């Protein structure tokens, strides 16, 4: 019994020595200057070593420092496909948050568990989003209903995942939708108010924009900039587009001349 115990202790010691030796060799050859300096200064730097080595050998993988990983019982098909591409990997979930799946490898370098988040295909995200929409209590809110419909059909993968993960993501939604429907516009940093006497070139620019648009200036920032402004975008947002000062060279016809032309 004692001989067996001694053998196990020796095996563990040899394993530790092999790991440390391999670690020193890798750092001296591939490690960053900071990692090399840390090792020379006597620091263990194990986490940084693993992170740098993963970045080189298995990009996307990391040490699960802030999550508790456990093997999942019934992984979806897209997780199984992801695991098929990495030897000795399996599909796991965060014990505290079961929304995300992870590609998991045990015994990396003989001692570490590493994980890589498995990104669900767009069709899976949309399917989940559709289910989430039906479950939401505020689905009767026309704004929220329209918002989720738009995100479902046109939103980026990141925006869709944000909604699925129960984030409001309202600013990102407005940014993406404005970029699609009113290119050049954005939500202002502060509220804008209708300009008192906008210059002639601004009126010219505004004529070619949305019928409900007008010329404004920022309430919160003292500058001489003018903006084409639309209120109640999506029923609740103010959006603006700065009028380039180079537009001053373009003349605008007077309202009187426009009326005369229309009569002719």
């Amino acid at each position: 019994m004692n001989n067996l115990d001694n053998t196990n202790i020796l095996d563990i010691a040899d394993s530790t020595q092999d790991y440390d030796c391999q670690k020193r060799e890798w750092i001296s050859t591939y490690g960053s200057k900071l990692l090399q300096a840390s090792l020379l200064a006597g620091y263990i730097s194990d986490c940084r070593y693993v992170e740098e080595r993963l970045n080189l050998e298995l990009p996307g993988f990391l040490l699960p420092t802030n999550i508790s990983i456990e093997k999942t019982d019934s992984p979806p098909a897209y997780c199984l496909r992801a695991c098929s591409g990495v030897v000795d990997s399996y599909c796991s979930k965060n014990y505290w948050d079961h929304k995300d799946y992870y590609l998991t490898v045990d015994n990396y370098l003989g001692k570490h568990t590493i994980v890589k988040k498995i990104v669900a295909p767009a069709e899976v995200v949309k399917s989940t989003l559709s289910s989430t929409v039906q479950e939401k209590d505020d689905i009767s809110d026309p704004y929220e209903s329209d918002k989720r419909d738009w995100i479902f059909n046109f939103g980026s993968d990141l925006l869709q995942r944000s909604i699925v993960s129960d984030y409001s993501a309202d600013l990102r939604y407005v940014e993406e939708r404005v970029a699609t429907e009113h290119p050049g516009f954005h939500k202002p940093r502060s509220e804008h108010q209708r300009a008192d006497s906008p210059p002639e070139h601004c009126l010219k620019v505004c004529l070619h924009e949305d019928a409900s648009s007008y010329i404004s200036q920022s309430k919160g920032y003292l500058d001489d900039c003018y903006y084409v402004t639309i209120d109640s975008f999506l029923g609740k947002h103010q959006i603006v587009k700065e009028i380039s000062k180079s537009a001053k060279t373009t003349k605008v016809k007077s309202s009187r001349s426009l009326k005369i032309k229309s009569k002719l």
Side-chain angles (χ1 to χ4, degrees), residues 59-194:
F61 277 86
L62 49 81
L63 290 167
T65 53
N66 297 319
I67 55 178
S68 179
I69 292 295
E70 61 178 11
K71 191 170 186 177
T72 186
D73 180 66
S74 301
Y78 70 88
C79 290
L80 296 176
R81 287 194 295 270
C83 289
S84 66
V86 181
V87 178
D88 295 329
S89 65
Y90 61 91
C91 187
S92 64
K93 273 194 169 186
N94 182 358
Y95 178 81
W96 302 108
D97 182 1
H98 287 273
K99 292 179 180 178
D100 296 320
Y101 290 94
Y102 295 86
L103 187 62
T104 308
V105 176
D106 291 330
N107 296 317
Y108 175 66
L109 303 178
K111 63 183 293 185
H112 298 287
T113 295
I114 58 174
V115 300
K116 179 180 181 181
K117 187 174 179 179
I118 302 174
V119 178
E123 60 269 19
V124 174
V125 174
K126 289 179 179 179
S127 175
T128 307
L129 177 59
S130 180
S131 299
T132 304
V133 169
Q134 294 176 3
E135 294 171 1
K136 287 292 183 180
D137 292 334
D138 60 354
I139 192 62
S140 58
D141 182 340
Y143 176 81
E144 291 297 329
S145 178
D146 180 59
K147 172 182 173 180
R148 292 189 176 89
D149 285 344
W150 190 91
I151 291 173
F152 178 83
N153 289 294
F154 306 107
S156 65
D157 287 345
L158 177 58
L159 181 55
Q160 291 177 1
R161 290 199 297 272
S162 297
I163 293 297
V164 169
S165 300
D166 207 25
Y167 291 96
S168 174
D170 207 48
L171 290 177
R172 184 181 297 278
Y173 158 62
V174 174
E175 288 174 359
E176 290 192 14
R177 188 154 182 178
V178 166
T180 301
E181 300 179 6
H182 293 282
F185 281 80
H186 63 275
K187 278 183 67 66
R189 291 179 295 174
S190 66
E191 186 181 353
H192 280 230
Q193 62 186 359
R194 184 181 290 269

Side-chain angles (χ1 to χ4, degrees), residues 197-212:
S197 299
E200 202 173 19
H201 72 281
C202 293
L203 295 174
K204 174 67 175 178
V205 172
C206 198
L207 286 175
H208 298 285
E209 296 293 345
D210 187 277
S212 62

